[in-house]
């Protein structure tokens, strides 16, 4: 089944929120951090409109929903009836259809792409989480205390989305991870401790090692590990094996993951420090400014000096 693009989703979701399309797409929502947004549906005193009639919608993004009241989630070949407040986790891999039983129902939900929680940023491989690998469908009825906790997380998401905090997407990632961990705690104990594959473990060790190299706090600090071979040697595996595993679990090679993370750090240093280009290049392990500039332009399509000027303007 072909996944529906985000543009189609935003047209559909207006039926659930009662909001105009222009208000659902705030400026800057789809920068280089992947896509994220949070919504409120069926605002109190505002009857919910009819749900779009697209059976078993298969989307190109992940979704976490907090729904209050009676609901039914239809999957191909099965249905889940939820009699009270529920937290529902949806993936691009499992098509589904949501049917609210009660008019005027309220809820909150967020959507995000794989790129928003890519391993280099979040330290997790989404489809390797027990939440998305356990048998059955990840939908959980909540107690009053659990519903209040989930609501508080969504409210913090809404607050950050409306802010001009320059690191808000990093903070939003932590809120998404908090919801994911809340969902994993709601699973039966036996589902939380699957036998991790060797590939998943190696991926986790690589991501942990990669993230430990950052942030760079002073111009005198140097990046210790820069190449695929550096990481393979440190993890005591052959570089070809590391590349194969990361390609299977993340869809990207070691060099691509390392390059993306170095580019992310370079952007942070250009935005947040007064270091010279030479100091940044040296700290990130480049032979000179020319090599750093060529790398940065390949990654982002703009020279580092121009990037710094744009962000400050």
């Amino acid at each position: 089944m072909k996944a529906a693009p985000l543009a189609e989703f935003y047209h559909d979701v207006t039926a659930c929120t009662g909001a105009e399309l222009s208000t659902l797409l705030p400026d800057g929502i789809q920068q280089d951090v992947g896509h994220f947004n949070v919504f409120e549906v069926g605002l109190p005193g505002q009857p919910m409109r009819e749900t779009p009639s697209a059976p078993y919608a298969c989307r190109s993004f992940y979704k976490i929903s907090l729904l209050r009241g009676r609901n039914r989630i239809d999957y191909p070949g099965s249905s889940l009836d939820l009699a009270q407040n529920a937290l529902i986790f949806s993936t691009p891999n499992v098509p589904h259809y949501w049917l609210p039983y009660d008019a005027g129902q309220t809820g909150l939900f967020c959507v995000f792409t794989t790129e928003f929680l890519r391993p280099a940023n979040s330290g997790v491989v989404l489809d390797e989480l027990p939440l998305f690998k356990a048998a059955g469908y990840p939908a959980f009825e909540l107690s009053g205390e659990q519903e209040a906790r989930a609501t508080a997380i969504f409210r913090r998401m809404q607050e950050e989305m409306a802010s001009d905090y320059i690191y808000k997407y990093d903070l939003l990632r932590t809120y998404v991870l908090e919801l994911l961990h809340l969902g994993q705690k709601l699973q039966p104990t036996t589902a939380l401790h699957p036998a991790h594959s060797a590939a998943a473990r190696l991926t986790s060790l690589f991501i942990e090692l990669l993230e430990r190299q950052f942030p760079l706090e002073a111009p005198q600090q140097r990046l210790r590990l820069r190449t695929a071979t550096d990481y393979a040697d440190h993890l005591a595996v052959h570089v070809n094996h590391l590349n194969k595993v990361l390609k299977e679990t993340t869809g990207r090679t070691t060099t691509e993951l390392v390059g993306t993370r170095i580019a992310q750090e370079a952007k942070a240093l250009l935005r947040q420090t007064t270091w010279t280009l030479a100091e940044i290049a040296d700290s990130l392990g480049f032979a000179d400014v020319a090599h750093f500039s060529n790398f940065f332009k390949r990654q982002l399509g703009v020279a580092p000096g121009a990037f710094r000027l744009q962000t400050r303007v």
Side-chain angles (χ1 to χ4, degrees), residues 33-36 112-118 169 172-173 176:
V33 294
H35 187 93
F36 174 88
F112 54 93
T113 57
T114 303
E115 291 77 15
F116 182 73
L117 277 186
R118 60 191 174 207
Y169 287 100
L172 286 164
R173 265 188 286 271
V176 172

Side-chain angles (χ1 to χ4, degrees), residues 113-187:
T113 57
T114 303
E115 291 77 15
F116 182 73
L117 277 186
R118 60 191 174 207
N121 285 339
S122 65
V124 302
V125 180
L126 281 169
D127 290 336
E128 290 295 327
L129 289 176
L131 181 68
F132 295 133
K133 292 179 70 68
Y137 302 109
F140 308 98
E141 293 188 333
L142 305 177
S143 67
E145 181 180 349
Q146 291 165 339
E147 187 274 335
R149 179 180 174 187
T151 297
I153 298 171
F154 276 106
R155 294 301 182 205
R156 293 200 296 272
M157 287 179 173
Q158 290 177 311
E159 180 181 343
E160 286 308 320
M161 284 298 293
S163 78
D164 56 2
Y165 181 46
I166 62 173
Y167 306 120
K168 69 180 179 182
Y169 287 100
D170 292 326
L171 191 51
L172 286 164
R173 265 188 286 271
T174 67
Y175 294 152
V176 172
L177 290 171
E178 191 173 352
L179 285 175
L180 291 172
H181 284 296
L182 176 58
Q184 295 200 153
K185 287 182 178 181
L186 294 172
Q187 290 189 109

Side-chain angles (χ1 to χ4, degrees), residues 20 87 225 279 295 304:
E20 295 298 324
L87 194 61
L225 306 176
E279 288 173 330
F295 163 83

Side-chain angles (χ1 to χ4, degrees), residues 25-291:
L25 288 165
D27 292 338
I29 195 172
Q30 205 164 5
Q31 301 174 358
D32 56 355
V33 294
H35 187 93
F36 174 88
N37 209 348
V38 61
F39 307 91
E40 187 158 3
V41 296
L43 296 173
Q46 187 178 48
M48 183 173 292
R49 301 182 189 177
E50 183 179 355
T51 306
S53 56
Y56 307 128
C58 184
R59 301 298 188 181
S60 58
F61 47 83
Y62 291 79
K63 179 180 178 183
I64 305 176
S65 307
L66 171 62
L67 302 177
R68 305 186 185 96
R70 296 186 306 125
N71 293 273
R72 191 180 82 214
I73 310 296
D74 286 346
Y75 300 95
S78 65
S79 295
L80 287 178
D81 283 303
L82 302 167
Q84 58 183 21
N85 303 330
L87 194 61
I88 302 164
F89 298 85
S90 308
T91 84
N93 305 318
V94 182
H96 67 283
Y97 179 70
W98 166 50
L99 179 66
Y101 284 137
D102 302 323
Q105 193 175 44
T106 63
L108 298 123
F109 66 95
C110 65
V111 297
F112 54 93
T113 57
T114 303
E115 291 77 15
F116 182 73
L117 277 186
R118 60 191 174 207
N121 285 339
S122 65
V124 302
V125 180
L126 281 169
D127 290 336
E128 290 295 327
L129 289 176
L131 181 68
F132 295 133
K133 292 179 70 68
Y137 302 109
F140 308 98
E141 293 188 333
L142 305 177
S143 67
E145 181 180 349
Q146 291 165 339
E147 187 274 335
R149 179 180 174 187
T151 297
I153 298 171
F154 276 106
R155 294 301 182 205
R156 293 200 296 272
M157 287 179 173
Q158 290 177 311
E159 180 181 343
E160 286 308 320
M161 284 298 293
S163 78
D164 56 2
Y165 181 46
I166 62 173
Y167 306 120
K168 69 180 179 182
Y169 287 100
D170 292 326
L171 191 51
L172 286 164
R173 265 188 286 271
T174 67
Y175 294 152
V176 172
L177 290 171
E178 191 173 352
L179 285 175
L180 291 172
H181 284 296
L182 176 58
Q184 295 200 153
K185 287 182 178 181
L186 294 172
Q187 290 189 109
T189 303
T190 55
L192 292 176
H193 303 284
H196 289 293
S197 68
R201 175 166 174 75
L202 181 58
T203 300
S204 177
L205 290 172
F206 166 78
I207 291 168
E208 180 183 355
L209 183 60
L210 175 63
E211 288 301 320
R212 282 210 307 264
Q213 311 307 307
F214 305 97
L216 298 174
E217 300 288 352
Q220 296 75 28
Q221 189 177 349
R222 299 290 184 275
L223 204 60
R224 295 186 301 107
L225 306 176
R226 285 200 79 258
T227 68
T229 300
D230 290 340
Y231 283 89
D233 290 345
H234 200 89
L235 294 168
V237 296
H238 194 280
V239 66
N240 292 342
H241 176 65
L242 180 61
N243 275 325
K244 180 176 181 292
V245 167
L246 293 178
K247 188 69 174 179
E248 290 175 351
T249 56
T250 72
R252 308 178 76 187
T253 66
T254 312
T255 299
E256 289 171 339
L257 290 168
V258 173
T260 297
R261 187 61 182 88
I262 290 175
Q264 181 183 349
E265 187 69 11
K267 288 190 296 181
L269 294 174
L270 289 166
R271 285 183 182 131
Q272 303 159 22
T273 74
T274 58
W275 300 7
T276 66
L277 294 185
E279 288 173 330
I280 294 174
D282 191 43
S283 287
L284 292 174
F286 292 94
D288 50 43
V289 173
H291 283 84

